[in-house]
Amino acid sequence: MIKGHVKWFDATKGYGFIVTADGEGDVLLHANVLRNFGRSSVAEGAAIVIEAQGTDRGRQATVIHEIVAPEVDHTEAPEGMHRPTDFVVGDEDASALMPARVKWFDKTKGFGFVNAFGSNDDIFVHMEVLRQFGLAELQPGEAICVRTIDGPRGKMASEVRSWDHPVTHGHN
């Protein structure tokens, strides 16, 4: 078991690197290993616990045991949005965690839209909400779980989780 944090991960390239606490150099994190953990991306700075193997090119992650979202500065919210910490689980304005599919997400713009299963209504997703829950970006067609709130222009995601999060963590 190796502890560290995500140096960077690029879902388009399909890989990134982990800075380890053992001081033996960075570890390659391939998208396939991340997918096996139920994720398509991971935020820079996220704490991570992995298993790795040595190769001719250095160490590579083989199994992910845990990912903990990085600390996020919630003092300033994007214009027209509440800070993610303004909404807590159990908040009467927040919905239950529900399955959704990514319609599109543009990392450069910092936002995108998802649709809850069985609905064509768009749900706005901001990059800061993703970061709060340890995600770096979303891929079109990706299955996720979201909790929504009513924003100034419609439904907004207040929580975004990997597809298997409710099962593996027992959330409703």
Side-chain angles (χ1 to χ4, degrees):
M1 299 277 232
I2 302 170
K3 293 181 180 183
H5 69 273
V6 177
K7 185 175 189 177
W8 62 268
F9 185 84
D10 186 324
T12 304
K13 291 180 179 179
Y15 68 92
F17 287 92
I18 299 166
V19 176
T20 63
D22 65 11
E24 293 186 28
D26 294 352
V27 174
L28 175 72
L29 174 59
H30 193 273
N32 289 336
V33 176
L34 199 53
R35 273 192 220 83
N36 289 342
F37 187 72
R39 297 273 192 96
S40 65
S41 69
V42 63
E44 181 179 310
I48 191 165
V49 178
I50 61 167
E51 290 179 32
Q53 71 180 25
T55 70
D56 295 346
R57 296 180 165 185
R59 294 188 299 173
Q60 293 185 7
T62 56
V63 176
I64 297 173
H65 290 280
E66 181 180 22
I67 296 176
V68 178
E71 291 294 318
V72 178
D73 181 6
H74 298 296
T75 56
E76 291 197 26
E79 186 175 329
M81 286 187 62
H82 296 282
R83 295 172 303 164
T85 54
D86 290 343
F87 307 100
V88 294
V89 175
D91 186 332
E92 62 191 38
D93 294 331
S95 70
L97 203 55
M98 63 186 147
R101 186 154 316 273
V102 178
K103 184 174 182 179
W104 65 268
F105 188 83
D106 187 324
K107 187 176 181 179
T108 306
K109 292 181 180 179
F111 68 90
F113 291 91
V114 302
N115 303 112
F117 286 129
S119 173
N120 290 326
D121 296 339
D122 288 341
I123 300 168
F124 178 81
V125 178
H126 194 275
M127 176 68 87
E128 291 305 315
V129 174
L130 289 184
R131 285 188 184 127
Q132 179 186 9
F133 295 99
L135 301 169
E137 64 183 291
L138 300 172
Q139 299 299 314
E142 180 178 355
I144 58 171
C145 292
V146 296
R147 189 176 312 275
T148 64
I149 55 162
D150 290 323
R153 296 184 188 145
K155 294 283 184 197
M156 296 171 42
S158 61
E159 181 175 348
V160 178
R161 299 289 189 163
S162 64
W163 172 252
D164 66 345
H165 182 81
V167 174
T168 60
H169 292 85
H171 293 296
N172 44 333

